[in-house]
Amino acid sequence: MAVYNYDVVVLGSGPAGEGAAMNAAKAGRKVAVVDNRPLVGGNCTHLGTIPSKALRHSVRQIMQFNTNPMFRQIGEPRWFSFPDVLKSAEKVIAKQVTSRTGYYARNRIDTYFGTASFADDQTVEVVCLNGVVEKLVAKQIVIATGSRPYRPADVDFRHPRIYDSDTILSLGHTPRRLIIYGAGVIGCEYASIFSGLGVLVDLIDNREQLLSFLDSEISDALSYHLRNNNVLIRHNEEYERIEGVENGVVLHLKSGKKIKADALLWCNGRTGNTDQLGLENIGIAVNSRGQIQVDEYYRTEVSNIYAAGDVIGWPSLASAAADQGRSAAGSIVDNGSWRFVDDVPTGIYTIPEISSIGKTERELTQAKVPYEVGKAFFKGMARAQISVEPVGMLKILFHRETLEVLGVHCFGYQASEIVHIGQAIMNQKGEANSIKYFINTTFNYPTMAEAYRVAAFDGLNRLF
């Protein structure tokens, strides 16, 4: 068994692991990264964010082709299979792996591929993919092993028609009807993807409203457009049992309903990847979902061991994970790069997409904050008309007395890009955070960004 010494060892090469490794290396530390795949990128690149968003983009292009009258001059609408569309995602994954492999090489970061576990609080043993065992000794260790779909014991995921959000990427056919159990972010995104391919989707939600953490108006808009695209949403339902049959799946609900489909996609929660780390050897406990508790510096209960990304829970977003990892390393190297990551925009890649930051109307009303609303509907925006993307709106919530921007909520074309303009203004100090910025600034025309100007005038016109 060979022994190698490092300043920092990072477990996981997803966004959190990469962020931690790069920041530590830039600060002059000797760094190693361990991943249980033969390629870097983590679940984000191989199973989660990248493939699902690449799938969504391809499906959206298909939907545009099939619904835009201009393309009827070329021919009739076309049908594409799920495996065909998946090929575009595979190309993006390969490009991402190539890019990220280059980052580690340029920064002289050693990579080990295998299963890591703690021997003690400064020693990690790696069983490499070729069977060789390596021992890595480090002053500080960052756990960034990510998460995987939660699998309840009473659901038979060995059945060929029952999938989770990881295994769905191996689906070799296009089902005519699909049950998606769980209407969180992942469930809603896949409902958009499959319905866009012409699949009849039953979306089972155990709550009374889709994505209830969103602004209610945005949530209602998502529900409408999913239903308009042949997604049947069933609220306040829970499964009794899931029965895999020869030609499909039967979902038995506690309400007494039975639903049959060609396949079932389980999208109900995630579990931290901590069960193989040997955390019991170093005295770190995890909660019922395998997640590790950290302080504001991303330090665990063992002072030289840090954790970041999905393995610590909220907000479980690739964007936040990268910043959390960078901040964890910032705590280690003390180079001024630490911050507690709580300014996180929500990006939901349904069709149309959703993004928001700040307070919702419900939260402001409950807090008795005197706010006003400014809206811009995309159907009236020149860029949206040119792009044939009329669905959606930008909504700005601002304090009616100080004019401070309190929340930005966007639904529709390029929502995840548009929200960052509002985020930038909300992060300004004092009077610089003002809705007046949007009317005193010249926006390119035509753009989607000028929706801020339209929404600002709409909101200010409500004041008296």
Side-chain angles (χ1 to χ4, degrees):
M1 181 188 296
V3 179
Y4 302 92
N5 291 286
Y6 293 94
D7 296 315
V8 180
V9 167
V10 180
L11 307 183
S13 67
E18 183 180 295
M22 296 302 160
N23 197 14
K26 298 289 186 187
R29 301 303 195 269
K30 186 180 180 183
V31 181
V33 170
V34 184
D35 200 281
N36 61 1
R37 285 188 182 83
L39 301 168
V40 299
N43 288 340
C44 170
T45 296
H46 297 279
L47 296 173
T49 302
I50 296 302
S52 65
K53 276 51 177 181
L55 268 171
R56 175 201 177 272
H57 178 73
S58 296
V59 169
R60 191 173 153 275
Q61 288 182 311
I62 293 167
M63 294 172 68
Q64 283 183 312
F65 176 83
N66 285 339
T67 57
N68 191 327
M70 184 183 72
F71 291 120
R72 297 291 67 77
Q73 299 174 33
I74 300 173
E76 293 302 310
R78 295 289 189 267
W79 180 82
F80 292 80
S81 71
F82 182 79
D84 286 341
V85 178
L86 195 59
K87 290 177 183 176
S88 64
E90 292 168 354
K91 294 176 182 176
V92 178
I93 291 169
K95 291 178 181 177
Q96 283 285 299
V97 169
T98 299
S99 298
R100 298 186 183 287
T101 300
Y103 302 158
Y104 291 105
R106 284 201 301 274
N107 287 280
R108 306 294 190 268
I109 297 171
D110 293 340
T111 52
Y112 295 83
F113 299 107
T115 303
S117 61
F118 284 93
D120 57 52
D121 60 4
Q122 292 190 340
T123 307
V124 172
E125 291 184 355
V126 182
V127 180
C128 297
L129 298 177
N130 60 5
V132 174
V133 178
E134 310 279 20
K135 182 178 284 188
L136 312 183
V137 178
K139 299 171 186 175
Q140 281 98 11
I141 299 171
V142 180
I143 301 171
T145 46
S147 65
R148 63 182 183 272
Y150 167 66
R151 288 186 163 193
D154 59 347
V155 178
D156 182 13
F157 287 94
R158 296 169 300 176
H159 192 280
R161 299 294 186 108
I162 299 176
Y163 300 87
D164 62 26
S165 57
D166 284 357
T167 59
I168 195 66
L169 297 175
S170 65
L171 180 66
H173 67 286
T174 307
R176 291 180 179 273
R177 191 179 204 107
L178 176 70
I179 298 168
I180 297 180
Y181 187 85
V185 171
I186 296 173
C188 288
E189 288 181 349
Y190 271 108
S192 289
I193 289 169
F194 279 100
S195 63
L197 289 173
V199 178
L200 295 174
V201 176
D202 283 87
L203 181 60
I204 312 301
D205 184 14
N206 59 14
R207 300 180 182 180
E208 61 184 26
Q209 183 184 29
L210 286 185
L211 306 179
S212 55
F213 59 87
L214 291 174
D215 181 271
S216 297
E217 197 169 5
I218 302 295
S219 174
D220 290 344
L222 174 62
S223 296
Y224 170 81
H225 287 284
L226 285 175
R227 290 188 176 109
N228 196 47
N229 206 29
N230 289 322
V231 176
L232 179 58
I233 304 170
R234 301 176 187 265
H235 291 294
N236 297 313
E237 298 280 10
E238 291 187 27
Y239 80 99
E240 180 73 38
R241 63 188 177 95
I242 296 172
E243 177 188 4
V245 296
E246 184 178 352
N247 60 346
V249 179
V250 178
L251 173 64
H252 299 259
L253 296 170
K254 289 183 178 180
S255 62
K257 301 182 184 73
K258 291 193 296 184
I259 307 167
K260 186 177 181 182
D262 301 317
L264 181 140
L265 172 57
W266 179 271
C267 292
N268 199 35
R270 296 186 68 81
T271 299
N273 291 324
T274 52
D275 51 317
Q276 295 184 330
L277 291 177
L279 295 179
E280 64 279 3
N281 296 334
I282 54 175
I284 292 180
V286 297
N287 65 17
S288 61
R289 284 296 176 98
Q291 296 164 343
I292 299 171
Q293 185 173 352
V294 295
D295 65 15
E296 63 178 345
Y297 297 99
Y298 299 99
R299 187 187 296 115
T300 68
E301 51 196 314
V302 178
S303 61
N304 70 306
I305 297 177
Y306 297 72
D310 282 17
V311 79
I312 67 171
W314 184 92
S316 294
L317 295 169
S319 55
D323 288 341
Q324 289 172 341
R326 184 171 185 274
S327 293
S331 298
I332 292 170
V333 302
D334 195 25
N335 63 355
S337 61
W338 168 86
R339 70 180 178 93
F340 180 66
V341 181
D342 59 355
D343 174 31
V344 182
T346 297
I348 302 172
Y349 294 85
T350 46
I351 303 174
E353 66 191 67
I354 297 168
S355 195
S356 65
I357 191 165
K359 300 296 184 182
T360 65
E361 287 201 64
R362 179 174 56 253
E363 290 169 335
L364 293 174
T365 299
Q366 290 173 349
K368 296 184 179 179
V369 175
Y371 73 93
E372 195 48 87
V373 184
K375 297 181 183 180
F377 292 95
F378 290 176
K379 64 184 179 182
M381 307 300 300
R383 183 64 178 269
Q385 293 168 354
I386 292 167
S387 305
V388 197
E389 295 283 359
V391 172
M393 61 174 282
L394 172 68
K395 181 176 183 179
I396 303 174
L397 308 180
F398 63 99
H399 197 289
R400 64 175 294 117
E401 295 166 6
T402 66
L403 304 185
E404 175 188 2
V405 179
L406 304 170
V408 175
H409 307 276
C410 191
F411 177 75
Y413 180 53
Q414 295 189 356
S416 59
E417 303 280 358
I418 293 169
V419 74
H420 293 304
I421 300 170
Q423 179 187 31
I425 300 306
M426 289 173 66
N427 281 338
Q428 302 307 302
K429 303 298 182 184
E431 294 181 359
N433 176 3
S434 171
I435 195 170
K436 282 190 173 181
Y437 170 86
F438 303 121
I439 62 172
N440 293 330
T441 298
T442 303
F443 288 86
N444 282 330
Y445 177 84
T447 58
M448 297 304 297
E450 65 161 333
Y452 278 99
R453 183 171 175 272
V454 175
F457 276 120
D458 178 68
L460 291 171
N461 286 340
R462 299 177 194 277
L463 300 180
F464 57 89

